[in-house]
């Protein structure tokens, strides 16, 4: 009986043994490459599986019969045709079944099972081929070696497919091919060692058997086919490697272009990362690859949740290269990479989003300009303090602040300066407050302070004094004193039981502070509530007065002092309320100016007056009062132009009366507006000269056509020497500047006589006629009457 070693060394042609090993190795390498091609293929997988099975089965078969040709028992030998063909078919079929089980089954043990089936195919092919072997002698088998050969083929075959299919790396392919070669060769030569041949001359070879020479030719063809298939497999492998390389390069370029960090993991081991992830961690890709994902996502529960719910976003923290933690959002998906499932984890940097969310939360409760709490935050805090003080039965204070003169800052110095002033004011006011007190900007130039735990109103008064003193400084180029603050104070619970009542009381006190001189503070008093409600009611009704035809115009004549001839009329506004009756202008005009309604009402007055004056037969002038808000509003000059064009009133018949208060709001803008009005041909009169901010420089700087002396001086000329002196001075100033002077409020013949003696040329007042609808002055606007009654002319002459 021959041992395995003796079988190989003594009974075989070693050159043919080497050739068999080479063919076996080529067949094994071809098989491994074709199996990887089958795994990568999306289409024709069964066809490629058949090619892989055929090439490998032929390789196993060729290896066996080349080794059989190398076997030299020194006896006549031949091969049974049918069994030889069956052995080839068995090799191909069982190899195909094994490859199919390894590649198509989804179970993790599929490569082991498939490899074992291939090992079984090797055994079936070998022993079928040995059954086809005819020799002039008897054959005996060592059952132990037979069992060993089958076991070696199955075990090593199972290991070969597991190693070969684990990854698509070259190392894995070579190791898998080497193990498959070892499985075939170890099985064959172990099985050959189990053979014992006893020569028997009486045994004759069958006539139908294949002679060894013919078998050699057949094996040569098969070996050539294996070589060709090996070349094909090699070319496929090269092409696939090139395609995979290009695909990997494109994928790398694509992933590097992604904003999110991308990490490819085999289990928990990082295989590759894109540049965004490397930048996120502050390391290079080479420093990251090969590490565990746990090194970067330290929260194990979040990692488990990430892979348990693929496609679902998970927020956690990423430990970067320097050990700091960054907020990130993770999404994991599975992809097929190199023939195996891998996890792709996308890392989205949440720092910008968290910062934006924090900024949104901040802006939701803070004023973006000053950084103070806004109205929403103020309301929440005030409600909370009211609840706390109600339970504790304590007193608290609410201070409402409004800036005086701030509009002038915006108009004169611009909104950028106004913003800086607001920021400075917020800083100065905040510096006065103590812990627990809250300063909020409610909007525009309105602020509010919550002062909890007040024990004495005097304590709040001291705080208000400190606030007022804190604003007396030169504010970023704005002259000191131009901006001041008025403060209204309400106390809880005496002035209000909830936020609405408390704010209303503080607003009422603030309104009183502003009307009583500004730059001061006032505590709420019960009478203030009724006053502010009345004012708001008037403002509400005034908004609909034009639409409801409640407004009307009254006209007062302006006449020559010496002759009584009427030169024109001043138009005056009247409001007849359906329930209040006649509302005095001194009541509703200030409300209209403060609320901005004066713009709409002023336009109505201008149109009505010009439309009426255009119908008069005599070309008398019409004087219309214009507020400071109108004068500095956008488009005022264009409005006057369109009104004159629409009513066909000659511009020289329109006289616009303004007070000096309108000039100081924005002198440059006022000057430009007046110059443009003069360019239209409109006359400009300075109203109420001698009161308010009267300045002789204004008479020189602004293009006035007439000066009006305020009625307060005229009515005192016989009782107050100072008033008489002022009237004489204004009349002399008018003569010196070449400006006509008209006296307002003339009610007695003595006043008229005084004006005539002092050289005043024009006057108006009750002596010439009370304000009345224009219908009462029809004779004066027609050609019938051009002078006032005889009594007036006599008074003037005397």
């Amino acid at each position: 009986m021959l041992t395995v070693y003796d079988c190989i060394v003594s009974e075989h042609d070693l050159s043919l043994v080497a050739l068999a090993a080479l063919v076996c190795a080529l067949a094994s390498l071809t098989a491994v490459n074709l199996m990887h091609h089958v795994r990568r293929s999306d289409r024709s997988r069964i066809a490629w599986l058949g090619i892989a099975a055929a090439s490998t089965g032929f390789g196993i078969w060729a290896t066996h019969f080349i080794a059989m040709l190398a076997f030299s028992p020194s006896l006549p030998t031949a091969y049974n045709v049918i069994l030889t063909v069956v052995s080839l078919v068995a090799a191909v079929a069982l190899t195909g079944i094994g490859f199919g089980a390894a590649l198509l089954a989804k179970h993790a043990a599929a490569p082991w099972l498939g490899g074992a089936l291939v090992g079984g195919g090797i055994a079936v092919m070998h022993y079928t081929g040995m059954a086809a072997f005819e020799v002039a002698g008897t054959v005996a088998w060592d059952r132990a070696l037979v069992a060993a050969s089958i076991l070696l083929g199955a075990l090593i075959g199972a290991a070969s497919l597991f190693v070969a299919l684990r990854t698509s790396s070259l190392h894995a392919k070579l190791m898998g091919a080497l193990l498959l070669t070892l499985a075939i060769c170890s099985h064959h030569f172990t099985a050959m060692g189990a053979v014992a041949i006893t020569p028997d001359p009486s045994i004759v070879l069958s006539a139908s058997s294949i002679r060894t020479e013919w078998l050699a030719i057949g094996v040569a063809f098969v070996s050539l086919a294996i070589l060709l298939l090996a070349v094909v497999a090699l070319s496929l492998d090269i092409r696939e490697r090139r395609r995979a390389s290009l695909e990997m390069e494109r994928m790398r370029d694509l992933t590097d272009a992604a904003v999110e960090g991308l990490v490819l993991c085999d289990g928990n081991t990082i295989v590759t990362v894109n540049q965004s992830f490397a930048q996120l961690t502050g390391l290079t890709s080479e420093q990251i690859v090969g590490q565990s994902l746990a090194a970067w996502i330290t929260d194990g529960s979040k990692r488990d949740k990430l892979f348990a719910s693929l496609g679902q976003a998970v927020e956690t923290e990423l430990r970067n290269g320097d050990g700091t933690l960054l907020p990130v959002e993770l999404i994991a998906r599975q992809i097929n990479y190199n023939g195996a499932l891998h996890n792709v984890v996308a890392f989205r940097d949440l720092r910008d989003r968290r910062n934006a969310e924090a900024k949104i939360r901040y802006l939701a409760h803070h004023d973006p300009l000053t950084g103070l709490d806004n109205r929403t935050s103020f309301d929440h805090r005030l409600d909370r303090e009211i609840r706390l003080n109600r339970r504790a039965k304590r007193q608290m204070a609410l201070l409402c602040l409004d800036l005086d003169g701030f509009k002038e800052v915006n108009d004169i110095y611009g909104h950028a300066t106004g913003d800086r002033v607001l920021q400075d004011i917020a800083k100065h006011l905040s510096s006065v407050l103590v812990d627990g007190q809250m300063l909020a900007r409610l909007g525009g130039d309105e602020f509010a302070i919550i002062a909890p735990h007040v024990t004495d109103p005097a304590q709040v008064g001291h705080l208000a004094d400190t606030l007022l003193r804190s604003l007396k400084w030169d504010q970023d180029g704005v002259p000191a004193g131009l901006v001041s603050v008025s403060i209204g104070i309400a106390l809880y619970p005496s002035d209000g039981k909830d936020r609405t009542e408390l704010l209303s009381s503080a607003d009422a006190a603030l309104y009183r502070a502003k009307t009583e001189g500004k730059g001061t503070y006032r505590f709420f008093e019960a009478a203030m509530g009724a006053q502010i409600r009345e004012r708001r009611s008037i403002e509400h009704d005034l908004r609909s007065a034009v639409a409801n035809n409640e407004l009307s115009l009254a006209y007062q004549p302006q006449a020559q002092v010496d002759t009584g001839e009427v030169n024109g009329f001043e138009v005056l506004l009247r409001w007849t309320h359906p329930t209040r009756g006649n509302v005095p202008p001194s009541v509703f005009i200030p409300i209209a100016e403060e609320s901005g309604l004066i713009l709409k009402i002023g336009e109505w007055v201008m149109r009505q007056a010009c439309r009426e004056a255009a119908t008069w037969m005599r070309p008398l002038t019409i004087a219309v009062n214009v507020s400071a808000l109108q004068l500095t509003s956008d488009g005022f000059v264009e409005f006057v132009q369109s009104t004159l064009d629409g009513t066909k009133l000659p511009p020289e018949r329109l006289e616009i009366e303004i007070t000096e208060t309108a000039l100081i709001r924005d002198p440059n803008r006022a000057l430009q507006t007046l110059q443009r009005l003069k360019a239209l041909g409109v006359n400009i009169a300075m109203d109420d000269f001698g009161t308010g901010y009267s300045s002789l420089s204004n008479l020189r700087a602004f293009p006035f056509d007439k000066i009006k002396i305020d009625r307060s001086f005229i009515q005192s000329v016989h009782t107050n020497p100072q008033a008489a002196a002022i009237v004489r001075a204004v009349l002399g100033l008018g003569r010196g500047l070449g400006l006509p002077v008209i006296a307002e409020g003339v009610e007695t013949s003595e006043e008229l006589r005084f004006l005539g003696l002092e050289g005043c040329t024009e006057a108006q007042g009750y002596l010439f006629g009370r304000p009345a609808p224009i219908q009462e002055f029809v004779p004066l606007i027609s050609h019938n009457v051009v002078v006032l009654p005889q009594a007036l002319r006599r008074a003037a002459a005397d």
Side-chain angles (χ1 to χ4, degrees):
M1 184 178 292
L2 302 174
T3 63
V4 175
Y5 177 79
D6 289 337
C7 175
I8 296 173
V9 176
S10 305
E11 303 299 329
H12 285 73
D13 184 342
L14 293 181
S15 60
L16 290 176
V17 170
L19 177 60
L22 177 62
V23 170
C24 182
L26 286 173
S28 298
L29 188 59
T30 301
V32 171
N33 282 320
L34 287 174
M35 279 193 293
H36 278 281
H37 186 70
V38 171
R39 174 181 279 179
R40 289 190 295 264
S41 299
D42 295 327
R43 295 176 295 179
S44 305
R45 298 186 72 185
I46 300 301
W48 280 108
L49 183 61
I51 294 172
S55 64
T56 308
F58 272 75
I60 296 171
W61 186 84
T63 300
H64 170 80
F65 282 100
I66 291 173
M68 290 301 295
L69 291 173
F71 181 57
S72 303
S74 303
L75 294 171
T77 58
Y79 294 89
N80 182 280
V81 175
I82 295 175
L83 292 177
T84 301
V85 173
V86 170
S87 67
L88 176 59
V89 172
V92 173
L94 291 174
T95 301
I97 292 172
F99 285 174
L103 294 171
L104 303 180
K106 300 299 183 182
H107 198 275
W112 292 97
L113 176 61
L117 289 174
V118 172
I122 296 171
V124 171
M125 187 283 308
H126 178 84
Y127 288 108
T128 303
M130 288 303 295
F133 179 63
E134 296 182 5
V135 64
T138 59
V139 178
W141 296 91
D142 184 339
R143 293 186 179 183
L145 289 178
V146 169
S149 68
I150 295 172
L151 186 60
L152 280 173
L155 291 177
I156 301 176
S160 68
L161 292 199
F162 171 75
V163 172
L165 297 177
R166 185 173 55 182
T167 66
S168 59
S169 65
L170 180 61
H171 179 266
K173 290 181 180 180
L174 290 176
M175 287 302 297
L178 179 60
L179 287 172
L180 185 57
T181 302
L182 183 60
I184 297 170
C185 293
S186 63
H187 170 84
H188 176 84
F189 290 108
T190 303
M192 289 302 295
V195 176
I197 300 174
T198 304
D200 185 354
S202 64
I203 297 175
V204 180
L205 303 179
S206 63
S208 61
S209 61
I210 303 174
R211 300 300 174 183
T212 303
E213 296 79 6
W214 289 103
L215 181 62
I217 296 173
V219 170
F221 278 111
V222 171
S223 299
L224 181 60
I226 292 172
L227 289 173
L228 290 175
L229 285 172
V231 171
V232 171
L234 181 61
S235 64
L236 284 173
D237 185 63
I238 293 173
R239 188 184 71 179
E240 286 298 326
R241 284 182 175 276
R242 184 181 294 112
R243 186 190 65 79
S245 177
L246 292 174
E247 190 68 25
M248 282 298 299
E249 187 174 346
R250 284 196 295 269
M251 183 176 290
R252 189 175 293 108
D253 292 340
L254 182 62
T255 57
D256 284 342
V259 176
E260 291 86 0
L262 297 177
V263 176
L264 181 68
C265 298
D266 183 6
N268 279 317
T269 303
I270 297 176
V271 176
T272 184
V273 300
N274 68 348
Q275 288 299 316
S276 295
F277 183 80
Q279 293 172 2
L280 195 61
T281 61
L283 301 175
T284 64
S285 301
E286 291 75 15
Q287 292 174 300
I288 301 171
V289 170
Q291 295 192 31
S292 171
L293 190 63
W296 309 100
I297 306 174
T298 57
D299 191 333
S301 62
K302 291 297 179 70
R303 288 198 311 273
D304 295 340
K305 181 179 179 182
L306 175 68
F307 294 119
S309 54
L310 296 176
Q312 299 295 319
V314 175
E315 291 190 11
T316 184
E317 291 179 322
L318 167 71
R319 185 186 298 278
N320 65 8
D322 59 9
T324 59
L325 298 177
L326 306 178
V328 291
E329 182 182 70
L330 308 180
I331 298 178
R333 297 187 186 277
Q334 283 192 332
I335 65 169
N336 195 307
Y337 176 78
N338 283 346
L341 286 177
H342 286 68
N343 292 317
V344 175
V345 183
F347 287 73
R348 180 173 296 165
D349 189 351
L350 294 183
R351 283 177 294 182
D352 290 342
R353 192 174 85 182
R354 293 281 176 84
N355 291 337
E357 290 172 349
K359 186 174 182 180
I360 290 172
R361 287 194 298 271
Y362 178 84
L363 292 177
H365 296 88
H366 292 82
D367 172 51
L369 178 64
T370 62
L372 299 176
D373 289 273
N374 62 8
R375 185 60 180 257
T376 301
S377 182
F378 167 80
D379 288 346
H380 291 163
R381 174 69 183 277
L382 184 56
D383 287 340
R384 184 167 65 88
E385 291 295 341
I386 289 174
R387 289 194 300 270
L388 293 175
N389 284 275
R390 181 182 298 123
R391 287 196 294 266
K393 296 183 179 181
R394 290 188 304 228
Q395 193 175 32
M396 62 170 287
L398 172 64
L399 294 82
C400 285
L401 297 78
D402 189 85
L403 301 184
D404 308 314
F406 181 71
K407 186 179 187 305
E408 283 73 13
V409 173
N410 277 335
D411 292 342
I412 297 172
Y413 299 98
H415 289 280
T417 300
D419 289 345
R420 288 195 297 272
V421 168
L422 286 174
Q423 291 170 337
D424 287 344
I425 287 173
K427 181 176 65 176
H428 283 77
L429 294 177
S430 298
S431 66
V432 174
L433 303 183
V434 298
D435 291 341
Q437 297 176 343
M438 174 188 183
L439 172 64
R441 183 187 177 199
L442 304 185
D445 58 353
E446 300 176 13
F447 298 83
I449 294 174
I450 299 173
H453 316 315
V454 172
T455 57
D456 185 357
Q459 177 185 353
V460 187
H462 176 71
L463 172 61
D465 281 327
T466 307
L467 292 169
L468 294 176
R469 288 195 302 270
S470 71
L471 297 183
K472 294 180 179 180
W473 89 103
D474 190 6
Q475 302 163 9
D476 196 19
V478 178
L482 181 58
V483 177
S484 61
V485 64
S486 296
I487 304 175
I489 304 172
L491 300 176
Y492 173 86
S494 58
D495 299 334
K497 298 297 190 296
D498 56 27
R499 171 162 50 91
T500 302
E501 290 183 3
L502 206 58
L503 279 170
S504 178
S505 298
D507 282 341
L510 174 62
Y511 179 72
R512 174 64 62 85
K514 293 181 77 68
T515 57
E516 293 184 358
K518 303 180 181 180
T520 186
Y521 69 90
R522 291 290 182 269
F523 282 89
F524 174 76
E525 298 173 3
M528 293 180 182
Q531 181 182 10
I532 195 66
R533 285 192 294 272
E534 175 67 9
R535 180 188 177 280
R536 288 173 178 170
S537 177
I538 292 174
E539 179 183 336
H540 176 270
D541 294 344
L542 189 59
R543 291 184 182 277
S544 57
V546 174
N548 294 339
N549 296 319
E550 297 172 7
L551 299 180
S552 61
L553 298 182
Y555 296 82
Q556 187 173 35
Q558 297 175 335
Q560 290 292 112
V561 171
D562 54 351
T563 65
E565 180 179 357
V566 175
N567 299 325
F569 292 87
E570 179 181 3
V571 62
L572 302 171
L573 182 62
R574 296 292 183 262
W575 180 20
T576 304
H577 191 273
T579 58
R580 299 175 187 273
N582 293 323
V583 183
S586 58
V587 172
F588 73 82
I589 291 297
I591 295 176
E593 290 180 340
E594 291 177 14
S595 64
L597 292 172
I598 195 66
L599 294 175
K600 178 181 176 181
I601 295 174
E603 290 181 355
W604 180 85
V605 171
M606 181 73 72
R607 286 196 200 94
Q608 290 294 105
C610 291
R611 185 181 297 115
E612 174 61 41
T615 64
W616 299 343
M617 297 179 64
R618 293 186 60 208
L620 303 176
T621 60
I622 183 73
V624 180
N625 288 279
V626 172
S627 72
L629 194 61
Q630 289 177 271
L631 187 67
T632 56
S633 64
D634 294 334
F636 177 70
V637 177
E638 290 75 11
F639 166 73
V640 173
Q641 175 71 68
S642 65
T643 301
L644 293 173
D645 294 341
T647 59
K648 307 300 182 183
L649 181 72
E652 61 272 11
R653 291 183 58 193
L654 176 62
E655 182 175 278
I656 290 179
E657 295 185 0
I658 61 171
T659 63
E660 284 192 285
T661 304
L663 305 179
I664 68 167
R665 295 176 69 95
D666 190 345
N668 293 331
R669 189 169 185 175
L671 177 60
Q672 292 176 3
T673 301
L674 294 180
Q675 288 174 339
R676 293 176 63 194
L677 290 172
K678 286 289 294 180
L680 296 179
V682 174
N683 294 307
I684 310 296
M686 178 183 284
D687 196 14
D688 298 336
F689 186 77
T691 62
Y693 296 95
S694 296
S695 171
L696 297 180
S697 63
N698 289 332
L699 295 176
R700 182 184 63 181
F702 293 92
F704 291 109
D705 299 294
K706 186 182 292 185
I707 302 173
K708 299 188 73 174
I709 304 177
D710 186 68
R711 61 182 300 167
S712 62
F713 298 109
I714 302 301
Q715 294 172 350
S716 303
V717 292
H718 293 295
T719 59
N720 190 324
Q722 289 85 0
I726 290 174
V727 171
R728 291 189 186 97
V730 173
L731 291 172
L733 182 64
R735 286 192 296 271
L737 295 174
L739 293 176
V741 179
I742 180 171
E744 291 184 294
V746 179
E747 298 182 358
T748 66
S749 58
E750 288 80 9
E751 292 170 356
L752 182 63
R753 188 180 300 110
F754 174 84
L755 293 173
L757 292 174
E758 295 299 331
C760 182
T761 57
E762 290 185 69
Q764 75 178 74
Y766 288 173
L767 184 63
F768 299 95
R770 291 178 176 273
I774 195 62
Q775 290 79 6
E776 297 187 15
F777 300 106
V778 170
L780 294 177
I781 62 177
S782 66
H783 287 294
N784 297 331
V785 178
V786 297
V787 297
L788 291 166
Q790 184 70 22
L792 288 178
R793 285 185 296 162
R794 246 192 340 266
D798 293 343

